[in-house]
């Protein structure tokens, strides 16, 4: 009888634990988290409903950020669609590397938002045809820092902010804005 009671309790607590873990992950900002609870009872219905809700939140989140990225790219016809392509390509490269879903989400969002700081660059510099002078070049090189300032209140994961702030850094230290190596 004790074994039967243990088995029944485990069949209830295990799916609930999965659901709680997924809810905690989503509440921390990991919209890729799913409970994957598939039982034929009310807990299964709750798990499926939670997973559908998380899926919709993730799609809406990405779509909203994608719209913002499109607005960024609309300022400069030369780079139209660039941020969406960077986000998509970053996601696909991460997927091919076998990265987990949260990392893929960070790559996509970071790619979409990497140039958000260009909003803070005046049009005479951003849209200038031809070569930039040294002062204009220094202004353009501040767009990653401007992007971080724009996003500081957005409560994005640190991985996304690292992409926005460091997308022009280079392994040899010759990148910008900090010259990190």
């Amino acid at each position: 009888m004790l074994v039967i009671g243990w088995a029944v309790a485990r069949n209830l607590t295990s799916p609930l634990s999965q659901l709680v873990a997924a809810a905690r992950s989503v509440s921390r900002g990991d919209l890729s988290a799913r409970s994957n609870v598939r039982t034929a009872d009310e807990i299964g219905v709750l798990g499926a409903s939670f997973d559908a809700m998380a899926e919709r939140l993730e799609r809406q989140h990405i779509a909203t950020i994608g719209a913002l990225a499109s607005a960024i790219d609309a300022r400069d016809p030369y780079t139209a669609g660039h941020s969406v392509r960077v986000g998509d390509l970053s996601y696909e490269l991460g997927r091919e590397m076998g990265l987990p879903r949260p990392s893929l989400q960070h790559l996509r969002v970071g790619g979409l938002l990497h140039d958000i700081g260009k909003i803070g660059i005046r049009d005479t510099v951003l849209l200038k045809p031809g070569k930039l002078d040294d002062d204009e070049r220094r202004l353009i090189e501040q767009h990653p820092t401007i992007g971080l300032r724009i996003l500081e209140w957005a409560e994005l994961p640190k991985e996304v902010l690292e992409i926005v702030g460091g997308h022009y850094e280079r392994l040899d230290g010759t990148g910008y804005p900090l010259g990190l190596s």
Side-chain angles (χ1 to χ4, degrees):
M1 190 56 104
L2 184 60
V3 171
I4 293 172
W6 175 83
V8 169
R10 188 161 196 274
N11 283 339
L12 289 174
T13 58
S14 181
L16 285 174
S17 294
Q18 287 175 252
L19 190 53
V20 167
R24 285 183 176 146
S25 291
V26 168
S27 73
R28 285 191 305 268
D30 178 8
L31 299 180
S32 69
R34 304 292 182 270
S35 72
N36 296 315
V37 172
R38 303 292 179 260
T39 58
D41 57 11
E42 292 84 358
I43 297 171
V45 171
L46 183 59
S49 297
F50 175 86
D51 290 352
M53 177 196 66
E55 177 71 30
R56 183 175 175 147
L57 282 172
E58 184 179 26
R59 278 195 323 269
Q60 288 174 332
H61 177 70
I62 295 298
T64 301
I65 290 172
L68 179 58
S70 294
I72 297 161
D73 289 348
R75 283 196 64 212
D76 183 358
Y78 178 74
T79 61
H82 169 71
S83 295
V84 172
R85 288 190 303 274
V86 170
D88 289 347
L89 183 58
S90 298
Y91 177 89
E92 290 302 320
L93 286 170
R95 192 173 60 76
E96 287 296 318
M97 293 171 59
L99 296 178
R101 279 183 61 109
S103 296
L104 296 175
Q105 182 185 39
H106 298 153
L107 285 171
R108 174 167 276 153
V109 172
L112 286 168
L113 293 176
H114 77 282
D115 274 343
I116 192 169
K118 286 184 175 181
I119 290 173
I121 305 297
R122 44 180 214 265
D123 285 348
T124 55
V125 174
L126 183 65
L127 304 177
K128 179 181 177 180
K131 191 172 168 94
L132 300 175
D133 65 32
D134 290 343
D135 288 336
E136 294 165 334
R137 174 54 104 202
R138 279 191 286 281
L139 285 173
I140 284 287
E141 289 179 357
Q142 289 306 307
H143 84 270
T145 304
I146 295 167
L148 289 175
R149 277 195 305 253
I150 290 169
L151 297 173
E152 70 184 329
W153 301 105
E155 295 186 35
L156 292 167
K158 69 176 178 51
E159 294 88 348
V160 171
L161 298 176
E162 288 170 354
I163 292 168
V164 172
H167 72 277
Y168 271 100
E169 299 293 346
R170 295 186 179 171
L171 291 174
D172 65 4
T174 62
Y176 63 85
L178 300 175
L180 301 174
S181 56

